[in-house]
């Protein structure tokens, strides 16, 4: 394990198995339809890349970037679109793909924002759910794993842009971010 980690939460094998299972479930649910996968940059990119390879219905991609934690582990509460989708989503079956739902502020905002653009349907898929810190409600249709209130990195998730390329998910040692949340 990386020396900044406290413990591994999910191994590469566990993630691979669960992501493949999610892809099969999504493929069943969207049978006969075309999917527009909307990835939230940058955290969801690795999850999305693996997930879509387990999806068997035709899938198109677009990406959106929103302001997030910046350099601390605390959310400011404000959500801002830094990079919008390239195309309209009207009449499309949209699946938002996120790395983790924490306070819910990001997805609560994005679901409202994208719903206003008139998609045929809109669902949320997240690899991780940290429900204990929720401030705003978010309906999650596909969830990989529910996790306790700990700061995790790897498999796309970062702290100060570090650790995204770790193939597993680990709890970040509190000494790395000063211990205070
Ligand atoms: P929310 O708006 O509080 O739900 O936060 C969502 C975003 O916060 C995620 O997309 C992540 O970028 C970031 N985030 C929340 N918890 C963690 C964590 O444990 N590790 C890394 N990033 C996190």
């Amino acid at each position: 394990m990386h020396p900044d980690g406290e413990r591994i939460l999910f191994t590469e094998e566990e993630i691979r198995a669960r992501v493949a299972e999610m892809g099969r479930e999504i493929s069943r649910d969207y049978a006969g339809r075309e999917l527009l996968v909307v990835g939230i940059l940058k955290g969801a990119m690795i999850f999305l890349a693996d997930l879509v390879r387990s999806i068997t219905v035709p899938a198109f991609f677009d990406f959106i970037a929103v302001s997030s934690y910046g350099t601390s582990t605390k959310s400011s509460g404000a959500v801002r679109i830094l990079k919008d989708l390239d195309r309209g989503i009207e009449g499309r079956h949209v699946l938002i793909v996120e790395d983790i739902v924490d306070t819910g502020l990001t997805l609560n905002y994005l679901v409202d924002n994208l719903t206003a653009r008139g998609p045929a349907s809109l669902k949320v898929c997240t690899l991780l759910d940290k429900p204990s810190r929720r401030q705003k409600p978010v309906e999650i249709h596909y969830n990989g794993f529910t996790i306790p209130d700990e700061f995790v990195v790897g498999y796309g998730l970062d702290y100060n842009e570090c650790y995204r390329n770790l193939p597993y998910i680990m709890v970040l040692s509190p000494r790395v971010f000063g211990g205070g949340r």
Side-chain angles (χ1 to χ4, degrees):
M1 184 186 55
H2 191 289
D4 291 346
E6 196 165 66
R7 67 177 198 279
I8 291 188
L9 204 52
F10 302 110
T11 65
E12 205 173 338
E13 292 71 30
E14 286 169 331
I15 298 169
R16 189 182 307 123
R18 182 68 187 119
V19 171
E21 204 170 75
M22 295 173 84
R24 286 194 290 273
E25 191 185 343
I26 291 167
S27 304
R28 276 197 302 273
D29 292 353
Y30 286 89
R33 286 182 283 173
E34 223 176 65
L35 194 55
L36 177 63
V37 178
V38 168
I40 306 183
L41 295 173
K42 301 170 215 169
M45 64 179 180
I46 292 181
F47 171 44
L48 186 148
D50 284 343
L51 181 71
V52 293
R53 281 179 281 182
S54 300
I55 292 180
T56 51
V57 299
F60 295 78
F61 314 143
D62 206 341
F63 295 92
I64 194 163
V66 293
S67 60
S68 63
Y69 284 4
T71 54
S72 95
T73 51
K74 285 221 171 77
S75 172
S76 67
V79 180
R80 198 160 51 92
I81 293 181
L82 304 174
K83 181 228 166 280
D84 206 343
L85 299 174
D86 290 339
R87 300 193 177 193
I89 58 170
E90 203 179 328
R92 311 289 304 267
H93 292 288
V94 174
L95 181 66
I96 302 179
V97 175
E98 174 63 305
D99 53 358
I100 181 166
V101 185
D102 183 20
T103 62
L105 291 166
T106 307
L107 272 177
N108 182 278
Y109 170 82
L110 273 184
V111 166
D112 282 357
N113 185 294
L114 297 188
T115 298
R117 305 183 194 191
S121 68
L122 183 73
K123 284 191 182 183
V124 169
C125 172
T126 185
L127 178 65
L128 305 176
D129 182 16
K130 211 193 273 182
S132 54
R133 287 181 22 105
R134 200 74 92 246
Q135 291 174 25
K136 291 268 178 107
V138 176
E139 191 180 351
I140 299 173
H141 304 88
Y142 305 98
N143 173 33
F145 304 97
T146 298
I147 66 164
D149 181 11
E150 288 181 294
F151 199 83
V152 295
V153 295
Y155 198 70
L157 291 135
D158 77 307
Y159 173 66
N160 274 349
E161 298 297 327
C162 291
Y163 316 109
R164 288 196 199 275
N165 64 322
L166 294 177
Y168 48 83
I169 295 174
M170 67 178 194
V171 175
L172 189 64
S173 171
R175 73 186 139 70
V176 178
F177 56 93
R181 290 191 66 193

